[in-house]
Amino acid sequence: MVHDDEPVLLGRAGGTARITLNRPRALNALTHPMVVTLAAALDRWERDPDVTAVILSGAGERGLCAGGDIRAIHEDARTGGSASPAFWRDEYRLNARIARFSKPFVALMDGIVMGGGVGLSGHAGVRIVTERSAVAMPETAIGLVPDVGGTYLLARAPGALGTHLALTGNTVGPADALLCGLADHFVPAGRLTALSEALAAPGVRDAADVTETVLRYAATPPGGRLAEDRPWIDACYAADSVTEIVDRLLDSGLPAAKDTAQTLLSRSPTALKATLAAMRADGPPSTLEEVLDRAYRASCAALAHPDLVEGIRARVIDKDRAPRWSPKELAQVTEADVARFSAPPPGGDLGLAEGTAHLGP
């Protein structure tokens, strides 16, 4: 029996299977048991010939998913626990599972979609944003490197837009999410219920039917800003190092670029340098599995670094927005510091690219 207070609600409507993340008070933040539930459901539905598509949504009106439960990660990092690596192992496997799911997987990216929420939706076959969508990979603000395959997506954005979003953690609306390849279609929020009902109709049997149905409800999104900002973003982020990127931003003479430099200077210096290295490594020809393997290494390294505990403390626990990074300056972060984020973790690698991580049936 399914209860409304369960963190994941599973259901069926016609040929569509429904997943609703059901922690609205926590912005549907993702926990390890939720990941396990989702993976098991996908296993069942992939084998079920009566399921023609899967629809992912979030309970409440605030968002699909604000990411992983970082309070739990904070406590794990603070006490030297092992729960976070176990969570990331299953979470990143689920990200890869969604990317290669054999049936149409439709993600309704309404409201806040950040971090782990991007991992659940950004690799889906059909990604829908609304006028309320706020999409971001904000990990550098808490001492992490963007994970869940976020760097795989951002490294394929036009020009240096993805590097800009990965380093700053800035939030984008629907038009910019579409521009950067984080979404496929814009559907006004008021049409989502009707769209979900239409996708459950008997005539919707395959990916082509799903796309045709979505297009009937799609519209033109309100304007974004990244296309206009791209000239200075491309020029500044073409630099070889984070320090030089910041210098170019400060020297540009543009208020938006200078504001961006100040944003970068507020982020974890170590996370910034490790993130730039990841972005340069995770573009083509890297596969998603290779990127997720590297993300697992980086996340495990961050767990042992003081910036993670401090970043979450400043942003979520105490909310003073005044993190004391260690080291506190970009110039103090060494190549050896960055190299630790690509070293095999003590518990062993994830093994997705080598095919040693089980993904499904």
Side-chain angles (χ1 to χ4, degrees):
M1 179 179 294
V2 174
H3 300 280
D4 287 345
D5 59 352
E6 292 181 354
V8 178
L9 303 180
L10 304 175
R12 290 279 294 276
T16 59
R18 305 289 180 87
I19 300 170
T20 304
L21 306 182
N22 190 40
R23 299 183 68 211
R25 292 182 180 178
L27 284 172
N28 299 318
L30 199 59
T31 65
H32 198 168
M34 292 169 70
V35 168
V36 172
T37 297
L38 290 171
L42 292 184
D43 285 351
R44 293 195 304 273
W45 291 335
E46 193 155 40
R47 292 190 295 261
D48 187 340
D50 294 329
V51 172
T52 57
V54 174
I55 300 176
L56 170 71
S57 63
E61 297 183 352
R62 296 171 66 194
L64 171 65
C65 176
D69 189 339
I70 59 174
R71 286 181 178 269
I73 293 172
H74 175 269
E75 182 63 18
D76 195 43
R78 192 181 64 81
T79 58
S82 59
S84 296
F87 166 62
W88 289 322
R89 276 185 174 272
D90 286 341
E91 182 186 22
Y92 300 170
R93 290 168 180 167
L94 177 62
N95 301 148
R97 182 89 171 82
I98 289 170
R100 69 173 185 84
F101 195 64
S102 64
K103 300 176 181 182
F105 190 107
V106 182
L108 305 182
M109 301 170 68
D110 188 31
I112 293 172
V113 185
M114 296 184 178
V118 174
L120 294 180
S121 59
H123 307 298
V126 181
R127 305 164 300 175
I128 295 171
V129 285
T130 74
E131 70 277 9
R132 302 186 299 203
S133 294
V135 185
M137 293 297 297
E139 283 76 10
T140 59
I142 58 169
L144 275 171
V145 174
D147 62 343
V148 299
T151 53
Y152 176 87
L153 298 170
L154 292 174
R156 287 155 179 77
L161 295 182
T163 303
H164 170 64
L165 296 181
L167 293 180
T168 62
N170 283 356
T171 300
V172 297
D176 288 334
L178 291 165
L179 173 64
C180 292
L182 300 172
D184 304 303
H185 306 282
F186 171 79
V187 175
R191 299 181 187 176
L192 291 181
T193 298
L195 170 61
S196 296
E197 292 172 354
L199 289 171
V204 180
R205 300 295 303 174
D206 57 25
D209 294 334
V210 168
T211 299
E212 181 181 349
T213 303
V214 170
L215 289 174
R216 293 206 306 269
Y217 292 85
T220 301
R225 62 171 297 169
L226 287 182
E228 181 180 346
D229 289 345
R230 186 176 165 186
W232 64 260
I233 288 174
D234 284 358
C236 294
Y237 286 90
D240 292 332
S241 69
V242 179
T243 300
E244 188 179 349
I245 289 172
V246 171
D247 289 343
R248 290 190 185 189
L249 291 167
L250 291 173
D251 292 342
S252 69
L254 299 170
K258 291 185 177 181
D259 289 345
T260 297
Q262 294 306 316
T263 296
L264 292 179
L265 291 172
S266 74
R267 304 312 193 214
S268 160
T270 303
L272 285 176
K273 287 195 172 184
T275 296
L276 183 61
M279 286 295 296
R280 300 281 160 87
D282 291 348
S286 291
T287 65
L288 174 60
E289 287 76 13
E290 289 169 338
V291 171
L292 288 167
D293 282 345
R294 291 194 285 265
Y296 182 72
R297 290 184 171 193
S299 294
C300 289
L303 193 68
H305 193 280
D307 278 4
L308 180 59
V309 170
E310 176 61 13
I312 298 175
R313 179 207 64 76
R315 202 162 188 89
V316 178
I317 308 299
D318 297 335
K319 299 181 180 179
D320 59 22
R321 301 297 178 103
R324 297 179 292 273
W325 303 122
S326 179
K328 64 179 182 179
E329 303 287 347
L330 284 166
Q332 297 171 321
V333 181
T334 67
E335 291 183 5
D337 293 332
V338 176
R340 292 188 185 98
F341 283 74
S342 59
D349 276 325
L350 182 59
L352 277 170
E354 290 76 21
T356 57
H358 178 67
L359 294 181

